[in-house]
Structure formats: structure tokens, C-alpha cells
Amino acid sequence: MDAVPFLNNQHSKIRIGAAIMVNNMDALIPSCITSINWVDGIYLFDDHCNDQSIKLADKHAATKLLVEKTPFKDYAFEHGETEVRNYVINQAFSALGVDILILLDADEMMSSILKPAIISAFLNNDINAIAVNIWHLYTYKKYIHIWETRVNNIIMCDPHARIIRKGVYYESRYSDGSHPGIKFTKKTLPLNG
């Protein structure tokens, strides 16, 4: 029996979605949305936008786009970023009906060349998250945030677990709930490069 059709059959069973929290990012959201049009659906969490972010996201989406206005009175960072990000994870998995979720901020992009690596990684049940390099280059006040560390013995620049299975959630790094991250475990696959 040829292994390739079996593998292709497995690939077609894995559905990948993306979740984005956005607050007034109309200058950047078109690039973010365009970079993930290869997924099976996009869940956009509108965190009190009062600019053109949602309209531009809809204009640039070439795949299913679901928008939810925040049910919270306060902005995510005021309400509790960890709680809101985990709410977004649950809502996105449920609304999109996907197996794998890519978590993006509205000022980030994810290349389609990752799709085969994502599918291949999640065919392995021992993997529950993928860490990728996230380079935070920001033009306001010339902010550049790049640091080097190891994830499961692989050296990476500013790694973040951004591709997850159901059941993986953000954890607070500080007592005030700020700067949440997804903790690296032995089940985290580092994709460097």
C-alpha cells in the first residue's frame, strides 16, 4: 500500500484555524489577515475597536472570518489578559470547529510555508503545541524585543507557543495577570527558522 495517499488522507482530516485579538490595528490587520488566508477559518476578537480594523479584516479575508465583539466591559488588558486570551481560545475552537489553532496578535504574520510542518507535527499525538520565533519589531519609540533561549534543546529567538491543540491555555507570568504565555513542555515542538 502506498503511504502517500494515507498521509494525504490524514492531512485532510486536520483543520487549522487562527485566532486574533484586535484593538485599533487598522494599519497592520490587512497584512496579518492576508498572511493566514491559508487556514480553514479565522476568528477575530474585537476588543473595543473604534477604527477600521474589522472592516479591513473582512476586506482582506479570503477564508471564513468570524468576528465576535468583546462581551467584556473593559479592554482585555484591563479586564485580565490571561482570562480574555483563554476565552478567545475556547471561542475560536468552538466557532471554527478546528483541530489546531494558530494564535496571533494583530501585528504579527504567519507564513503558509508552515502548514505542512503544522500538519506533520500534529499527526504525532505527543505534540500539543508548536513554538515559533516571534520577532517583536515595533516602530513606535524604536522598540525592538529579541532574546535568545532554548526550547527542548533548540536555540530560538524570542519563542512563543503560538500553534496549539485543544486544552492548551495561557498562564499568567505575573500576579496581575499581565504578559501571559503558553508554557513550554516536553510536548512543545520548537520550529526554528
Side-chain angles (χ1 to χ4, degrees), residues 105-156:
D105 290 340
D107 61 347
E108 297 170 346
M109 297 184 294
M110 189 73 62
S111 174
S112 64
I113 65 170
L114 286 172
K115 186 175 183 177
I118 292 169
I119 291 169
S120 178
F122 286 107
L123 286 174
N124 177 350
N125 287 327
D126 290 334
I127 301 298
N128 69 2
I130 297 175
V132 293
N133 298 314
I134 302 289
W135 292 40
H136 297 274
L137 306 173
Y138 195 69
T139 57
Y140 184 69
K141 294 185 182 178
K142 298 181 183 178
Y143 172 74
I144 299 178
H145 173 73
I146 299 173
W147 59 281
E148 187 176 275
T149 190
R150 288 183 180 270
V151 177
N152 293 333
N153 294 319
I154 301 294
I155 296 174
M156 297 185 72

Side-chain angles (χ1 to χ4, degrees), residues 19-179:
I20 307 165
M21 286 177 50
V22 62
N23 172 263
N24 297 338
M25 296 292 282
D26 60 6
L28 300 173
I29 197 70
S31 295
C32 178
I33 294 291
T34 301
S35 80
I36 55 170
N37 272 326
W38 52 272
V39 300
D40 296 301
I42 301 169
Y43 169 89
L44 191 71
F45 182 80
D46 177 352
D47 188 25
H48 302 282
C49 288
N50 58 19
D51 67 354
Q52 297 296 310
S53 292
I54 306 306
K55 189 177 195 176
L56 289 169
D58 186 52
K59 178 181 177 183
H60 287 85
T63 189
K64 175 172 67 173
L65 175 70
L66 302 174
V67 178
E68 179 185 359
K69 286 186 175 275
T70 180
F72 307 112
K73 181 178 79 170
D74 300 324
Y75 292 98
F77 293 103
E78 295 166 356
H79 182 83
E81 186 182 359
T82 303
E83 178 186 339
V84 175
R85 285 190 181 272
N86 288 333
Y87 171 87
V88 167
I89 287 172
N90 286 332
Q91 292 295 103
F93 270 119
S94 177
L96 296 173
V98 294
D99 307 296
I100 306 302
L101 194 59
I102 298 170
L103 306 169
L104 291 170
D105 290 340
D107 61 347
E108 297 170 346
M109 297 184 294
M110 189 73 62
S111 174
S112 64
I113 65 170
L114 286 172
K115 186 175 183 177
I118 292 169
I119 291 169
S120 178
F122 286 107
L123 286 174
N124 177 350
N125 287 327
D126 290 334
I127 301 298
N128 69 2
I130 297 175
V132 293
N133 298 314
I134 302 289
W135 292 40
H136 297 274
L137 306 173
Y138 195 69
T139 57
Y140 184 69
K141 294 185 182 178
K142 298 181 183 178
Y143 172 74
I144 299 178
H145 173 73
I146 299 173
W147 59 281
E148 187 176 275
T149 190
R150 288 183 180 270
V151 177
N152 293 333
N153 294 319
I154 301 294
I155 296 174
M156 297 185 72
C157 289
D158 207 359
H160 290 65
R162 291 298 179 117
I163 307 163
I164 63 169
R165 279 190 204 276
K166 289 180 185 176
V168 176
Y169 293 100
Y170 284 95
E171 297 178 15
S172 297
R173 292 189 179 135
Y174 301 102
S175 60
D176 67 356
S178 66
H179 296 86

